[in-house]
Amino acid sequence: MSSRRKLIAGNWKMNKTSADSTALVTDIVAAIGRQADVDVVVCPPFTSIESAGKALEGSTVKLGAQNMHPEASGAFTGEISAGMLRALFATHVILGHSERRAYFAETDAFINKKVIAALKNQLKPILCVGETLAEREAGSTLKVVQTQLEAGLEGVSKELAATVVIAYEPVWAIGTGKVATTEQAQEVHAFIRGLLVKLFGDAIAQKVRILYGGSMKPSNAPDLLAQKDIDGGLIGGASLEARSFVELITAAAAVK
Ligand code: PEP
């Protein structure tokens, strides 16, 4: 069994009002109690971070955001800083999600600035990397992942690298119901682990959690989570209901 604790993170995307978020967190907390075997993070939309944070007080569930701006403050209409997230007791932030890359033209360089700013503010980045279907079919999956990973982590110190979480999310599997096979996922996770060894050394690379994301659900999670280098999941659709999200946490806890 790996020494890394499994991590299950829910990405709620643009779903749930503040009241809906309170209800969902309340149900999750009631179902899992203070279970200590798995790290659990919920990432509501910005407007729900405060209410979700209140609902998870006293539980082991942690709070994350789906994005942030790299600057600390200033004239960036519509944006949110790391400091603002910390003030609401967020501990994690998803950065470089493929939807941000595709619909908001986020570049590796911009994502890297966010990673650095998050770490400076004691937020743990969940850095997303992954190839499109065209890139996979062209045989460039590993090259794409390498570029995104190395650029995203540029300038990250060895001391802080172990607090970074990587999410491998093949774009063709996100929200499509098409899940990567365990072999496809493990191949890329092992490749990412190898890149982390080159960047930060073996001891740190062994500590970094690498999550799989892309149509993970209770039925396919046990096989994916049993893979040597799959340390948890970044969950979209199945994180929007307490029952499926809790089943995923239970599946992660059951991996020996
Ligand atoms: C995601 O968007 O991070 C994700 C993995 O979504 P889904 O689980 O819905 O594929």
Side-chain angles (χ1 to χ4, degrees), residues 15 23 29 32 36 42 49 63 66 79 83 91 101 114 116 148 150 167 176 192 215 217 223 226-227 230 232 247 251:
N15 294 291
V29 168
I32 67 172
V42 291
I49 289 182
L63 189 61
Q66 300 171 20
E79 293 293 325
T91 52
R101 293 177 190 263
K114 298 185 191 206
I116 300 294
Q148 292 177 345
E150 290 178 348
T176 59
I192 291 172
S215 299
K217 44 186 185 280
D223 286 346
Q227 302 303 306
I230 301 187
E247 280 177 21

Side-chain angles (χ1 to χ4, degrees), residues 11 13 97 99 169 173-177 213-216 234-238:
N11 174 12
K13 311 194 185 189
H97 190 281
E99 288 153 15
E169 299 207 307
I174 295 179
T176 59
S215 299
M216 195 189 256
L234 180 55
I235 320 293

Side-chain angles (χ1 to χ4, degrees), residues 76-88:
F76 300 100
T77 302
E79 293 293 325
I80 300 284
S81 72
M84 291 171 183
L85 296 176
R86 288 293 294 150
L88 294 177

